[in-house]
Amino acid sequence: MYIPYEFLGKIFIYLVLFALAGTGIALLIGAYSFKKRRIIFPGFVLFTLYLFYSPSKLLCRFFKIRENLVDDILIDLRNAIMLDRFVHTKENRVVFLPQCMRHPECRARCDPIHGYECKRCGKCDISKIYEAADMYNFKVFIIPGSSFVKKIFKEYRPQSCLGVACYNELAEDMQEVSFIPVQGVLLLRDGCFNTKADVEEIIRKMEMCDV
């Protein structure tokens, strides 16, 4: 049986070029939306950049653009298109915080389902977030990893979600829970230990729901 390798090779090259062109267009539109705070074709941009996430970062690297721009675009667009639904969700609202925000001397116990149980000792910013969460009817979970998110969703069934994480995780995590209204806040200082978050921004997101 004759196999037209040359023809198949041409099709493959055309598909690669088409994908690169689409990714480039999505990056340009997303960068414009991110810079101007004006949303254009959010569905196309989100779908394309998630589908070609790694190639998008390679394109940024090739043109000497910071790779985190891809994550910025995904997070910013997701926040924008989900904001209205997030604000108007009244029940079962949760906040997911990474365990790396804990103070180095934290003695909180880690529950196998709910994550770390904060003692509100005041040594880190988490206690401030808990105080605001009590005021605005949010439940806070301090989680060691994404596997805890699945357990919490299964038991608590959140109707909206506010997540805090680093560049490497937030865009992906927001996509995974996008079946409910979600908002994301990037860590100011990332890493795996003693990280820092924009507490005022986290509280502002919760306060917006007090309508």
Side-chain angles (χ1 to χ4, degrees), residues 11 70-71 84 138 143 195:
I11 291 178
V70 178
D71 300 297
D84 187 64
F138 278 78
I143 56 174
T195 56

Side-chain angles (χ1 to χ4, degrees), residues 83 100 103 111 125 128 133 150 153 156 179 182 196 199:
L83 180 60
C100 56
H103 190 273
D111 182 88
D125 290 333
K128 298 177 185 176
K150 296 177 181 178
F153 263 83
Y156 191 68
F179 51 87
V182 59
K196 189 75 174 175
V199 176

Side-chain angles (χ1 to χ4, degrees), residues 32 61 74 77 104 113 118 123 139-140 153 163 179 189 195:
Y32 176 84
R61 192 183 309 163
L74 292 172
L77 282 181
I113 295 178
C118 181
K123 291 182 178 180
K139 187 171 180 61
V140 180
F153 263 83
F179 51 87
R189 183 178 67 227
T195 56

Side-chain angles (χ1 to χ4, degrees), residues 50 53 57 66-72 74-76 96-101 143-146 162-175 183-198 202:
Y50 274 119
Y53 182 76
K57 294 211 166 189
R66 63 182 182 88
E67 295 179 31
N68 287 340
L69 176 63
V70 178
D71 300 297
D72 275 329
L74 292 172
I75 294 165
D76 200 58
F96 288 123
L97 301 178
Q99 64 88 21
C100 56
M101 283 181 61
I143 56 174
S146 58
L162 172 58
V164 182
C166 61
Y167 273 112
N168 295 335
E169 297 181 0
L170 188 56
E172 181 180 349
D173 291 345
M174 290 177 73
Q175 168 69 0
Q183 292 289 287
V185 177
L186 279 165
L187 288 170
L188 295 175
R189 183 178 67 227
D190 58 13
C192 298
F193 179 74
N194 200 23
T195 56
K196 189 75 174 175
D198 188 343
I202 296 169

Side-chain angles (χ1 to χ4, degrees), residues 60-126:
C60 288
R61 192 183 309 163
F62 180 79
F63 289 105
K64 298 185 184 290
I65 302 170
R66 63 182 182 88
E67 295 179 31
N68 287 340
L69 176 63
V70 178
D71 300 297
D72 275 329
I73 292 170
L74 292 172
I75 294 165
D76 200 58
L77 282 181
R78 182 75 68 188
N79 279 343
I81 64 178
M82 289 270 192
L83 180 60
D84 187 64
R85 289 175 56 203
F86 176 81
V87 167
H88 290 93
T89 302
K90 299 301 180 184
E91 298 179 352
N92 288 30
R93 303 183 296 202
V94 301
V95 180
F96 288 123
L97 301 178
Q99 64 88 21
C100 56
M101 283 181 61
R102 297 182 302 127
H103 190 273
E105 298 177 359
C106 177
R107 296 183 178 180
R109 172 184 172 272
C110 184
D111 182 88
I113 295 178
H114 302 137
Y116 286 93
E117 299 174 339
C118 181
K119 297 182 180 296
R120 307 197 189 194
C121 64
K123 291 182 178 180
C124 68
D125 290 333
I126 292 178

